[in-house]
Amino acid sequence: MKQWPLVLLGFVVIAAWPLLTSDVFLQRLGALVLLSAISASAWNLLGGYAGQVSVGHSVYFGAGAYASLVCFTHFGWPPIAGAPVGMLVSMLIAAVVGTPTFRLRGHYFSMATIAAAELARILAANVPLLGAAVGLMGPPVPRSAWDLSFISPIPYHYLFLAVLTLLLALTWQMQRSKMGFYLAAIRGGDRAARSLGVPVLRYKLYALLLSAAFTSLAGSLYAVMIGFVDPDSGLGILISVKMVIVAALGGAGTLFGPLVGAIILIPLEETTNAMFGGSGTGVTFIIYGAIIVLIARFRPGGVADLWHSLITRGRRGAARGA
Amino acid sequence: MLLEARDLTKVFGGFRAVGGASLDVAEGEIVGLIGPNGAGKSTFFNCLAGDNPPTTGTIRFRGQDVTKATPEAHARAGMARTFQVPVTFEDMSVAENVMVGAFLRHGHRAAARRVAEEVLAFTGLDHLADTRAGSLGTPGRKRLEIARALATEPVMLLLDEALAGLTPAEVRLAIELVRRIQQRGITIVIVEHIMEVILSLAERAVVFHQGRVIAEGAPRDVVDNPEVVAAYLGHHMKRVRRG
């Protein structure tokens, strides 16, 4: 990769971000960008690399968020201790949901994932153990450092950065390995992939298991930071849609696409929310809709694709000048 | 026999696309499947490749029953194929496309890369290694499909109209490539429309008509067979006369 210096520069800027400003809004924004980048990067493993567009990843996000707060509410564990539980539950759900739905193609697969996610949301809203429609709360005051309950967003920023770095390193490794090639082949076409000996269903399932585990971790981290989850904030369809849009905006199936998408979209969303207050949530939907239309119309490959063509154009220009 | 297909039938709804066709292929042969449009040769071919299992009949490959085996099991057993309409992985480079095939027998990236480079050189695609597959034209795609199939290190290669849509000059290049593949000891079954290709390549031609094998033998003799002329060329003649 020739872009390593740029990647390093980006990492340094992101790592230094909360120290560059004393504005808590901006510090919090940094942490939220990273959290969104984690969930979108996790979605990207299946939706981007394998080309299986799930619009039901809120199930895994919600499983993570709920696992953390269920473990706190019912067993008194620190919420973060629920993260591995959530990841296991998510992988179990993934295996159960994935096995039948992977036989569906294209839009039919996406619709089946929506159905599964909505089912989970309705279920959660009616189970008292999960707080039903009211939801669950985290520790109101930190009992120990393990509760990871801080007033400043800065500790969250570094926690999220560590998780994102780990996830992207894993993705990079995966992308270069046999699995990365097989997922790309599956995205290119099931039939051709199978003719070359790719066990398509098995590899889709591997991608989903990995994707579900990390999406769940993002959900747990969200619950740890926000300290609250209810059916809408943990399992709402908007959570799934956001993962898709963030990844597609930056470039689905590319390593840094989801991070770039989060850097663009989250500040936009938070600013409109701050500007319009409670009545501004509708504006977020309008922005999402506009972004979907723009990506579909002009750049199906997202910002990564735009960047790539700018670079090639730049190189060609340079070659012409020389 | 490397491949033995016995009494294959394939029924789609009420339509019998293949009705009791058999085929034996010996190791090292080049066999041509010919016949007019809709004769059932592509359906038969897809049965052999595991893409679409036959309704009845049995297929044995290297002594094993593969009648209901999946396409990926066929690939593992040593049977590779190309498609009538090429399906290359558009977003990947030519070399990466070939590496997907190579990963079947080589788990490590470096080993897969080595195999891919060797296959690219053999198929004359080495100068296009880093080109995006989506930017290739039809001849390039067809050649890439062959390269990708070869990277799975097959015993037998099934070519589905690998030469259709090529210019005469490209056809000659492709014929030469198929010959070199055979010289590597790979058995070849080729479905083809172009008579010239079958005449110059195949040692044995099998003629399909209405889902059945109506003639089999040396391509020269088969072409002169009155039944074949009636089914294949005669049909064409009639249309010419009517026009």
Side-chain angles (χ1 to χ4, degrees), chain B residues 99-182:
Chain B
M99 281 174 76
V100 171
F103 271 117
L104 180 63
R105 314 227 186 261
H106 305 273
H108 287 285
R109 183 189 165 85
R113 179 90 211 179
R114 247 191 332 272
V115 170
E117 275 164 8
E118 195 266 325
V119 170
L120 287 173
F122 177 80
T123 50
L125 285 170
D126 36 0
H127 63 291
L128 294 171
D130 295 324
T131 311
R132 213 177 131 261
S135 65
L136 294 179
T138 304
R141 277 160 198 250
K142 297 216 161 189
R143 197 162 268 251
L144 174 54
E145 276 211 327
I146 294 176
R148 210 169 56 176
L150 286 178
T152 65
E153 299 172 15
V155 176
M156 177 182 243
L157 181 59
L158 305 178
L159 299 172
D160 194 357
E161 304 204 1
L163 284 65
L166 303 186
T167 66
E170 290 157 1
V171 167
R172 269 195 297 283
L173 281 174
I175 288 178
E176 185 254 346
L177 174 63
V178 174
R179 283 229 179 82
R180 280 196 294 123
I181 293 171
Q182 188 204 16

Side-chain angles (χ1 to χ4, degrees), chain B residues 158-219:
Chain B
L158 305 178
L159 299 172
D160 194 357
E161 304 204 1
L163 284 65
L166 303 186
T167 66
E170 290 157 1
V171 167
R172 269 195 297 283
L173 281 174
I175 288 178
E176 185 254 346
L177 174 63
V178 174
R179 283 229 179 82
R180 280 196 294 123
I181 293 171
Q182 188 204 16
Q183 280 160 15
R184 289 183 122 189
I186 297 171
T187 309
I188 293 166
V189 174
I190 178 165
V191 168
E192 197 48 78
H193 260 113
I194 313 172
M195 261 307 180
E196 180 206 337
V197 171
I198 296 295
L199 290 175
S200 62
L201 259 183
E203 292 151 1
R204 194 154 62 89
V206 177
V207 188
F208 275 74
H209 183 52
Q210 294 178 343
R212 295 175 176 283
V213 174
I214 56 162
E216 194 175 340

Side-chain angles (χ1 to χ4, degrees), chain B residues 22-41:
Chain B
S22 297
L23 176 71
D24 283 346
V25 182
E27 202 149 351
E29 261 193 306
I30 299 189
V31 179
L33 304 186
I34 55 175
N37 274 328
K41 45 188 197 311

Side-chain angles (χ1 to χ4, degrees), chain A residues 178-194:
Chain A
K178 176 173 172 171
M179 179 160 167
F181 280 81
Y182 272 16
L183 294 187
I186 291 168
R187 185 179 57 202
D190 272 21
R191 200 162 166 235
R194 295 184 75 184

Side-chain angles (χ1 to χ4, degrees), chain B residues 2-18:
Chain B
L2 184 62
L3 179 81
E4 296 168 69
R6 287 274 167 281
D7 304 318
L8 299 194
T9 62
K10 181 71 193 180
V11 180
F12 296 109
F15 178 65
R16 184 184 279 264
V18 178

Side-chain angles (χ1 to χ4, degrees), chain A residues 175-178 180-182 184-189 191-202, chain B residues 46 51 70-72 75 79 81 83 87-89 91-92 96 99-101 103-104 107 109 148-149 152:
Chain A
Q175 185 189 337
R176 292 168 39 86
S177 74
K178 176 173 172 171
F181 280 81
Y182 272 16
I186 291 168
R187 185 179 57 202
R191 200 162 166 235
R194 295 184 75 184
S195 82
L196 297 171
V198 178
V200 169
L201 287 178
R202 185 143 53 92
Chain B
N46 282 329
D51 222 28
T70 57
E72 52 267 36
M79 193 194 282
R81 69 165 299 176
F83 293 90
V87 262
T88 50
F89 307 128
D91 295 335
M92 300 171 97
E96 286 166 345
M99 281 174 76
V100 171
F103 271 117
L104 180 63
R109 183 189 165 85
R148 210 169 56 176
T152 65

